[in-house]
Amino acid sequence: MAAQDFNVLLATDSYKITHYKQYPPNVNKIYSYFECRRKKGSQFSEVVFFGLQYLLKKYLTGQVVTEEKIQEAKLFYQMHFKQSVFDEEGWRKVLEKHDGRLPVRIKAVPEGRIIPRGNVLFTVENTDPEFYWLTNYIETMLVQMWYPITVATISREFKKILAKHLKATSGSLEGLDLKLHDFGYRGVSSQESAALGGAAHLVNFCSTDTVAGLLMAQRYYSCPMAGFSIPAAEHSTIISWGRNREKEAFEQLLDQFSSGPVSVVSDSYDIFNACKHIWGDKLKERVMERSQDSCLVIRPDSGDPAETLIEVLKILEECFGSSLNSVGFKVLPPYLRIIQGDGIDLRSVDEILEKLSDEGWSAENVFFGCGSALLQKLNRDTLSCAFKCSYVESNGKGTDVYKQPVTDPSKGSKRGRLSLRRNSDGFLETIERGAGKPEEVSTRSSLLQPAHFIPSFL
């Protein structure tokens, strides 16, 4: 059930308030679709579909139109436009005829599915001919799907890079789901961004500090616990001891969290001194007492990531030793690992792991944390997300419609009613103009299915 304090009548671009006056006479159906347009040269050829269930449950399900909300919108738009353009009569008919529920049908690919760009991801159409204007009225909200889709897609690209290096330098993919930790909570623009982005990352990994994403997965995807974390220090808990007592600060962490993994930021003053003289000398025996299940994770947080990591690994090897894994790469003792969370994006993580490999180190030694590059440094154009009308009906007669700008052919849109299916070669393709078999519009031969709520897939 949608939140009662949310007014869907106000959740649209201003100009859409006037669109009910602009459609052709006798129109009775508007059918539109959402896609991530294919773009030549983009680093992303596929997208991960995620987030629609949240959006529908939170904003569009159940009675979303009431008399109070109609009056609120009427007053607001009168003040906003300085003229009477709000369709009060149309919205009251939604209330009276459909008990305030929106008469629209949404068909979508299953959440979590990986889809090549340029394919339809979901379609929207009105189910009552009186309310043809509703389809694109809710475009504004639905296009915000760009954000969870983009985060889930970027997170998957991280996973592909990490999998490549982990497999090459260890011979297996063990521990891959924990290799990228979400550090992005504080770097996003809002609580909802943290929730959506945080949950989208959890489609690919189960390592996070973004509590909002976990709560969203619980409340909207019925997932009891989608991600995990460990006790960890921040600079305030280290520097509060003073520079001369850094060793005591580190020791406190070992004492307080003796039975499980613990992460300690160690660059407050001198990361190399901390690794060599504190961890590798004064606290060496304490570190060696720990096990794989209670390992110490040292966190550098400044400097050139690759150079710093390589130097830290060399120091730790001198102090604690290393061994060769089954494919001949060096691995620190199981009670000792590193997490790099500064300066991480898709390019840098690949470069770092390449340099570690060149130095003979396995990717097993390192975890990564990522914040803004995962949840914030992206926009709707990252995946060229668009919502376009492709089919209309007037007096019961259907017409395929499209846009085809002469100034930018890449912005051309699809035509007609759409279905998504695998072709004879096994590749997904969008069938336009209703050219697929008629049953593909309504049966499981198309990947587009009526949007319904799934229990959990995270």
Side-chain angles (χ1 to χ4, degrees):
M1 184 68 69
Q4 292 302 304
D5 59 349
F6 172 77
N7 191 342
V8 71
L9 285 68
L10 298 173
T12 195
D13 299 300
S14 297
Y15 75 147
K16 286 185 176 292
I17 304 306
T18 68
H19 289 177
Y20 74 100
K21 293 175 172 284
Q22 300 177 33
Y23 288 107
N26 303 315
V27 66
N28 50 59
K29 181 180 285 291
I30 298 293
Y31 174 102
S32 297
Y33 72 95
F34 178 94
E35 70 171 326
C36 296
R37 291 179 177 133
R38 189 178 291 109
K39 189 171 183 180
K40 187 176 180 181
S42 172
Q43 67 182 122
F44 308 108
S45 60
E46 298 172 317
V47 300
V48 180
F49 186 70
F50 176 75
L52 182 62
Q53 177 161 307
Y54 163 78
L55 191 149
L56 296 181
K57 277 188 173 183
K58 187 169 178 67
Y59 296 116
L60 297 178
T61 302
Q63 187 186 58
V64 297
V65 181
T66 64
E67 183 59 36
E68 291 76 17
K69 291 179 180 179
I70 294 173
Q71 292 304 317
E72 179 187 22
K74 177 182 177 181
L75 176 60
F76 178 87
Y77 289 126
Q78 180 64 43
M79 295 170 64
H80 182 45
F81 284 98
K82 298 183 180 180
Q83 58 179 304
S84 182
V85 294
F86 175 63
D87 188 11
E88 180 181 3
E89 180 183 355
W91 283 106
R92 186 163 290 109
K93 284 183 179 179
V94 173
L95 174 61
E96 294 172 351
K97 192 173 181 180
H98 295 282
D99 194 30
R101 291 169 167 79
L102 301 181
V104 295
R105 178 185 297 116
I106 298 176
K107 291 185 177 181
V109 301
E111 295 211 28
R113 187 64 66 97
I114 299 162
I115 305 294
R117 284 177 68 171
N119 283 296
V120 57
L121 296 174
F122 63 83
T123 63
V124 186
E125 61 187 305
N126 58 294
T127 57
D128 184 323
E130 279 195 80
F131 305 106
Y132 56 88
W133 46 269
L134 262 177
T135 300
N136 276 49
Y137 193 97
I138 60 175
E139 172 192 0
T140 307
M141 286 200 60
L142 292 173
V143 169
Q144 290 177 345
M145 278 289 296
W146 75 263
Y147 179 68
I149 289 172
T150 305
V151 174
T153 299
I154 290 173
S155 176
R156 177 173 176 260
E157 291 300 312
F158 270 110
K159 194 169 190 178
K160 288 160 64 177
I161 293 168
L162 288 162
K164 176 185 69 174
H165 289 283
L166 187 60
K167 181 70 172 177
T169 62
S170 76
S172 81
L173 296 178
E174 184 178 353
L176 176 61
D177 290 348
L178 296 169
K179 280 294 181 183
L180 185 69
H181 200 82
D182 177 3
F183 281 178
Y185 201 165
R186 69 190 62 186
V188 293
S189 59
S190 68
Q191 281 290 118
E192 186 169 36
S193 294
L196 267 172
H201 171 66
L202 295 170
V203 175
N204 302 290
F205 293 90
C206 58
S207 188
T208 185
D209 258 31
T210 301
V211 173
L214 297 167
L215 292 173
M216 199 198 95
Q218 282 186 346
R219 294 169 181 169
Y220 295 95
Y221 289 87
S222 303
C223 183
M225 184 49 59
F228 306 93
S229 188
I230 64 173
E234 69 175 20
H235 287 105
S236 76
T237 68
I238 301 300
I239 64 175
S240 61
W241 290 75
R243 182 164 192 152
N244 294 329
R245 300 178 69 204
E246 189 175 29
K247 178 253 184 184
E248 286 78 5
F250 291 173
E251 196 165 22
Q252 173 81 349
L253 270 290
L254 298 180
D255 290 338
Q256 292 297 317
F257 307 103
S258 58
S259 61
V262 61
S263 172
V264 185
V265 62
S266 302
D267 77 324
S268 296
Y269 309 108
D270 185 338
I271 180 66
F272 308 121
N273 178 73
C275 290
K276 186 170 185 176
H277 297 293
I278 302 179
W279 294 123
D281 183 12
K282 297 174 183 177
L283 297 177
K284 182 175 181 178
E285 290 185 7
R286 297 291 310 276
V287 174
M288 294 178 68
E289 290 171 357
R290 302 180 76 89
S291 67
Q292 181 175 352
D293 293 332
S294 60
C295 72
L296 168 67
V297 183
I298 295 174
R299 177 162 72 95
D301 196 46
S302 53
D304 179 271
E307 292 179 5
T308 301
L309 275 174
I310 289 171
E311 185 61 26
V312 166
L313 282 165
K314 287 179 179 178
I315 292 171
L316 295 177
E317 181 184 29
E318 291 172 3
C319 297
F320 297 97
S322 67
S323 60
L324 295 180
N325 62 21
S326 62
V327 289
F329 285 85
K330 293 190 290 186
V331 184
L332 291 172
Y335 52 76
L336 191 57
R337 291 292 181 263
I338 304 170
I339 184 167
Q340 175 67 37
D342 182 55
I344 299 304
D345 56 28
L346 289 172
R347 178 189 56 79
S348 68
V349 76
D350 195 28
E351 291 179 354
I352 290 167
L353 289 170
E354 281 287 354
K355 290 179 179 179
L356 293 188
S357 174
D358 291 343
E359 294 288 328
W361 288 102
S362 170
E364 295 170 90
N365 295 287
V366 186
F367 298 92
F368 292 93
C370 189
S372 59
L374 179 65
L375 301 188
Q376 187 70 16
K377 291 182 179 179
L378 47 125
N379 55 52
R380 185 164 69 94
D381 292 332
T382 302
L383 295 176
S384 304
C385 298
F387 184 98
K388 297 300 172 187
C389 177
S390 62
Y391 175 84
V392 300
E393 287 182 3
S394 297
N395 293 322
K397 181 180 179 181
T399 303
D400 297 344
V401 297
Y402 61 96
K403 58 175 285 192
Q404 194 173 52
V406 66
T407 48
D408 189 351
S410 71
K411 287 193 172 184
S413 63
K414 293 174 169 41
R415 309 181 186 197
R417 299 183 69 89
L418 309 174
S419 60
L420 182 66
R421 69 179 186 189
R422 293 195 181 278
N423 61 26
S424 58
D425 295 321
F427 296 107
L428 287 174
E429 63 178 9
T430 298
I431 307 301
E432 301 185 42
R433 305 184 183 186
K437 297 176 181 178
E439 63 268 21
E440 288 182 343
V441 176
S442 57
T443 72
R444 293 195 177 275
S445 57
S446 173
L447 279 179
L448 293 177
Q449 295 297 318
H452 64 282
F453 300 136
I454 57 175
S456 175
F457 71 93
L458 294 173

